[in-house]
Amino acid sequence: MSKHYSKQNLKEIAGGDEDFMAVVAQTFLDEIPPDLEALEEAIDNDNKELAYQFAHKMKPNFEMFGVDLIKDAKAIEDWTKTSKNKAAVSENIKKMVTTLKAVFRELKDDFSL
């Protein structure tokens, strides 16, 4: 089964140090779930400024972990600069939630966290 993140990306960043990789994975698990929840809430409340901040904050993590959500985060950032309603990004946030929940499970399994 293919992963929703790239352990290879993480390995390169950590220089192959498994302990450091586990620390980085734990940090991701500590920070991203509340950020995701806050992003969902900001979109629900049409708080575009806050939605932009959380989408923007998450992008480097997606890049570091090879999670294919940068386009979705960018779409949310772009939406915050328009007058479109939240339906315009409903598919993006749905994909982010679904994908990230899978990443959280995979990281916990892969690093016994």
Side-chain angles (χ1 to χ4, degrees), residues 48-66:
K48 292 183 176 185
E49 186 177 319
L50 200 55
Y52 179 89
Q53 289 173 3
F54 281 105
H56 189 74
K57 179 183 176 194
M58 295 166 98
K59 284 191 319 189
N61 287 293
F62 298 160
E63 197 170 320
M64 180 175 16
F65 282 81

Side-chain angles (χ1 to χ4, degrees), residues 67-80:
V67 179
D68 186 25
L69 291 175
I70 293 173
K71 286 180 186 162
D72 296 283
K74 181 82 175 103
I76 291 169
E77 286 178 336
D78 292 346
W79 164 77
T80 67

Side-chain angles (χ1 to χ4, degrees), residues 2-113:
S2 71
K3 298 276 183 191
H4 293 86
Y5 81 99
S6 168
K7 200 168 186 179
Q8 191 56 42
N9 275 23
L10 198 50
K11 199 174 271 190
E12 286 174 23
I13 290 165
D17 182 337
E18 289 284 333
D19 291 337
F20 182 67
M21 287 169 61
V23 168
V24 173
Q26 184 62 59
T27 302
F28 185 91
L29 290 168
D30 290 343
E31 292 181 5
I32 299 300
D35 287 354
L36 179 61
E37 200 172 300
L39 176 61
E40 285 183 279
E41 196 174 301
I43 291 170
D44 278 347
N45 296 328
D46 209 29
N47 184 336
K48 292 183 176 185
E49 186 177 319
L50 200 55
Y52 179 89
Q53 289 173 3
F54 281 105
H56 189 74
K57 179 183 176 194
M58 295 166 98
K59 284 191 319 189
N61 287 293
F62 298 160
E63 197 170 320
M64 180 175 16
F65 282 81
V67 179
D68 186 25
L69 291 175
I70 293 173
K71 286 180 186 162
D72 296 283
K74 181 82 175 103
I76 291 169
E77 286 178 336
D78 292 346
W79 164 77
T80 67
K81 297 174 182 124
T82 71
S83 58
K84 294 178 182 173
N85 69 24
K86 62 187 172 190
V89 291
S90 65
E91 289 305 311
N92 301 99
I93 191 64
K94 264 190 230 165
K95 180 181 175 194
M96 286 177 76
V97 169
T98 303
T99 302
L100 285 171
K101 283 183 178 179
V103 170
F104 301 154
R105 280 190 308 275
E106 291 167 4
L107 286 172
K108 286 175 185 174
D109 288 347
D110 290 349
F111 292 98
S112 303
L113 301 171

